[in-house]
Amino acid sequence: MKAADLVAHILKSEGTEFLACYPRNAIIEAGAKIGIRPILCRQERVGVGIADGYTRVSYAIGQTNGSQPVNGVFAAQAGPGIENAFPGIAQAFAENVPILILPGGAGLSRQNQHPTFSAVDVFRPITKIAARAHSVQELPDLLRQAYHAMRSGRGGPALIEIPVEVWGQEYQGDIDWQRIAPVKLAPDREAIKQAAEMLLAAENPLLWAGQGILYAGATAKLVELAELLPAGVMTTNPGKSAFPENHPLALGASTRSRPRALAEKMRQADLVLAIGSSLTKTPFGPGVPADKSIIHATNEPSDINKDYRAALGIVGDATLVIEALIKELKNKAGDERAGRRQELEGEISEINKSWRADWQDHLSSNEEPINQYRIIGELMSAVDPAETIITHDSGSPREQLLPFWQASQPGGYMGWGKSTQLGYGLGLNIGAKLAAPEKLCINIMGDSAIGMTGMDLETAARYGIGILTIVFNNGIMAAERDVLIEADEKYGAMTVGGNYTLVAEGLGVATRRVEHPGDFFAALEEAQKVTATDKPFLIECMVKEGHDFSRDDVAGL
């Protein structure tokens, strides 16, 4: 068995059904021979995004159907192929997404010769493991290490480079491959006891949920903990959908924008319990105000006291931490908690009603060019969130969509933003549809974002991947108005024109252009019919510049 066949066999054993890729890479053909479907992207960074979206959804939906998660895989050509993949891998690293990267490599004799590109050296800072196979005999051990790294502790990409001469080598011996199970850390008992005492002593505890809840399959336990305390639950940008947002204790998610209930309950909080979150300071995620005491529970010790001082640190798998806290709290909590829960739920409900009322003019606006919130409002009323997976793109679409979209199921929203590459949402959406073909999969992107990656709409058309892409086209880089003043006045630097309906048609994608707000619903109905037949659809919405965001001010949030 040659190297490519060996790798394909291991991928198949790990549940791999498709391979995001761009030739040449021998794994593509070897995988196809044993039923691994190749998805050839138009651009390598999008191929990585496809593997990323598949991984996120595979882990999240395992919570609801009990299936084993499968890590997405991307295979690239040596040299220019893997060089082009750098942005996608950097994004996955920033978001802690466990994907497997399998590039070809230059011959071993050329590895130290200028200007040979060494994927191992270049990608080591943005992967959990980056290694080179010097012979075919090393591949099973290297792949075992890669899967262990991806599935244990904090997630992240793993890269195994296969040099040109290794592909042709014959593996000697039997392949005794066993699926690599994750290694989970249990929390310290004394830390759990201390955390329970702090939570019970707090006047207004708040639960902060990160994407670690999704990877650990801890949503149901998080709901139980929130109801037991009781406490409102907010999520981070990548953690959105980790807690059902139709639950009366849900506060929603935060980037720079957020629901008012999240802001108000953070303002009132005296203790924040962060679970499954690195608490990394980022311009596109929430912060912890300086006057809050923090219990920080994470599966990565280096997260604790990194950006915020923790009153108590707990290292452990999110599910195991929450289960231990529930057990300890049940031994100590009194009956008065039930009354407090009803009161808290009422407070959150009233804040949400007030907030929604303040934004209703936007959500039902008849403006032309169209108000983006009108599109979001119509979308929410027309689709079932439980049967939908949606993602934003970088910039204004993220800030407009995330506060208002109500995610009710784990993985129903793919949030991202520690790195904010324009166009990344398209690849995520393709990967999500591959992981959950029964779902309506939507990505909302601006005109700048589609300019970066829009050619891969043709990938969805070519492979019959029925995604829905909604483009907010205002012909301008609206988010940059405050930093491109003279550059725009003198040289029109912010203008980014285009007719993306015509572009989509040229790529074999069904499409509608919406210029009047009253026409969006009909376009959406048509899109749903088309995507149900495994064909992609693009709705181009001619929108206004849009500078209104839900940002109730709380210092430090």
Side-chain angles (χ1 to χ4, degrees):
M1 182 179 288
K2 293 189 183 296
D5 299 308
L6 170 66
V7 173
H9 171 80
I10 290 173
L11 295 182
K12 190 77 171 179
S13 300
E14 286 292 339
T16 301
E17 297 178 342
F18 87 92
L19 179 69
C21 56
Y22 198 85
R24 289 185 173 188
N25 186 303
I27 299 170
I28 301 172
E29 183 69 7
K33 290 178 180 177
I34 59 172
I36 297 176
R37 181 188 183 194
I39 305 293
L40 272 69
C41 55
R42 298 293 294 262
Q43 215 285 337
E44 286 89 349
R45 66 172 282 210
V46 178
V48 177
I50 293 171
D52 180 334
Y54 182 91
T55 300
R56 293 177 191 237
V57 174
S58 178
Y59 273 80
I61 64 177
Q63 294 196 45
T64 55
N65 64 16
S67 61
Q68 287 188 319
V70 177
N71 298 81
V73 186
F74 176 72
Q77 180 181 350
I82 190 61
E83 290 168 21
N84 273 339
F86 191 96
I89 299 171
Q91 180 78 55
F93 177 76
E95 303 293 328
N96 302 322
V97 181
I99 57 175
L100 180 61
I101 311 296
L102 297 172
L108 293 170
S109 65
R110 301 297 304 169
Q111 287 298 327
N112 297 315
Q113 299 298 319
H114 179 81
T116 299
F117 182 82
S118 168
V120 172
D121 293 331
V122 171
F123 285 92
R124 185 173 287 118
I126 57 168
T127 53
K128 286 195 73 177
I129 177 175
R132 177 179 298 116
H134 296 83
S135 79
V136 67
Q137 298 302 125
E138 295 179 0
L139 281 170
D141 286 344
L142 290 175
L143 285 166
R144 186 181 67 251
Q145 294 165 21
Y147 275 103
H148 172 77
M150 288 189 291
R151 291 177 179 163
S152 300
R154 180 170 60 198
L159 181 146
I160 305 298
E161 183 186 66
I162 305 175
V164 61
E165 63 263 51
V166 175
W167 291 119
Q169 295 175 2
E170 287 281 346
Y171 183 76
Q172 305 297 317
D174 296 328
I175 304 170
D176 182 23
W177 185 267
Q178 296 179 359
R179 180 179 170 84
I180 307 301
V183 174
K184 299 180 180 180
L185 296 175
D188 177 74
R189 291 182 181 179
E190 291 303 314
I192 290 295
K193 288 180 180 179
Q194 187 178 347
E197 291 170 357
M198 293 171 68
L199 287 165
L200 291 173
E203 292 285 334
N204 293 296
L206 182 145
L207 297 181
W208 169 305
Q211 69 174 341
I213 299 294
L214 294 167
Y215 283 107
T219 291
K221 289 297 178 182
L222 181 62
V223 170
E224 185 178 351
L225 177 62
E227 293 175 349
L228 179 62
L229 279 170
V233 183
M234 61 163 283
T235 64
T236 61
N237 177 350
K240 187 174 172 72
S241 81
F243 189 84
E245 293 179 327
N246 55 353
H247 191 285
L249 290 173
L251 303 174
S254 177
T255 59
R256 296 170 68 185
S257 307
R258 59 193 71 92
R260 182 173 298 159
L262 192 157
E264 287 300 315
K265 288 304 171 184
M266 178 61 85
R267 191 195 315 275
Q268 297 169 12
D270 54 347
L271 176 66
V272 174
L273 168 58
I275 307 177
S277 171
S278 64
L279 287 183
T280 298
K281 288 184 177 179
T282 167
F284 304 105
V288 184
D291 62 338
K292 313 303 177 187
S293 183
I294 300 171
I295 301 173
H296 190 181
T298 171
N299 62 3
E300 174 54 52
S302 65
D303 288 340
I304 298 171
N305 287 311
K306 179 184 70 174
D307 283 341
Y308 296 98
R309 181 175 61 195
L312 175 65
I314 302 173
V315 177
D317 172 79
T319 297
L320 298 180
V321 168
I322 296 172
E323 287 177 341
L325 281 171
I326 290 171
K327 182 177 179 180
E328 190 68 25
L329 288 166
K330 282 183 175 177
N331 293 330
K332 296 181 178 182
D335 294 336
E336 74 279 358
R337 293 275 159 182
R340 174 58 185 139
R341 175 183 165 188
Q342 187 175 9
E343 179 184 349
L344 178 58
E345 289 176 352
E347 292 170 2
I348 294 170
S349 176
E350 288 302 312
I351 297 171
N352 281 332
K353 286 178 184 177
S354 171
W355 174 62
R356 289 272 178 181
D358 287 348
W359 280 88
Q360 191 54 43
D361 285 349
H362 287 278
L363 294 165
S364 59
S365 170
N366 287 315
E367 291 174 82
E368 293 184 13
I370 303 169
N371 187 316
Q372 290 89 337
Y373 292 104
R374 169 68 183 266
I375 302 299
I376 293 168
E378 295 232 345
L379 195 58
M380 288 191 298
S381 67
V383 305
D384 180 1
E387 298 301 325
T388 302
I389 298 171
I390 193 167
T391 189
H392 55 250
D393 216 288
S394 184
S396 296
R398 175 192 60 241
E399 302 301 314
Q400 291 154 344
L401 178 65
L402 185 135
F404 289 93
W405 187 265
Q406 190 176 85
S408 61
Q409 296 290 323
Y413 192 103
M414 294 184 292
W416 50 280
K418 288 191 179 70
S419 181
T420 56
Q421 298 171 18
L422 284 164
Y424 199 72
L426 178 59
L428 288 180
N429 199 28
I430 295 174
K433 187 67 174 180
L434 289 166
E438 74 284 359
K439 301 286 189 180
L440 173 62
C441 295
I442 306 170
N443 67 292
I444 298 181
M445 62 198 318
D447 40 14
S448 295
I450 194 173
M452 293 283 183
T453 61
M455 289 298 292
D456 269 282
L457 287 165
E458 188 274 335
T459 301
R462 182 171 11 112
Y463 288 106
I465 304 171
I467 62 167
L468 170 57
T469 294
I470 298 174
V471 178
F472 287 168
N473 184 1
N474 55 18
I476 198 163
M477 299 175 68
E480 311 305 328
R481 181 162 292 284
D482 61 334
V483 295
L484 293 177
I485 300 170
E486 198 159 333
D488 188 55
E489 289 176 355
K490 285 184 177 179
Y491 306 109
M494 295 202 307
T495 302
V496 282
N499 186 319
Y500 304 107
T501 299
L502 295 178
V503 172
E505 288 175 351
L507 296 174
V509 176
T511 182
R512 281 277 294 273
R513 192 177 229 218
V514 176
E515 298 179 336
H516 310 292
D519 294 339
F520 177 77
F521 187 78
L524 179 60
E525 281 190 320
E526 182 184 351
Q528 289 178 279
K529 289 176 183 177
V530 170
T531 57
T533 66
D534 299 325
K535 296 177 181 177
F537 197 97
L538 181 140
I539 303 176
E540 181 182 20
C541 299
M542 305 308 293
V543 299
K544 69 176 190 176
E545 193 163 318
H547 293 283
D548 297 303
F549 304 109
S550 178
R551 293 178 180 170
D552 290 67
D553 187 39
V554 177
L557 177 57

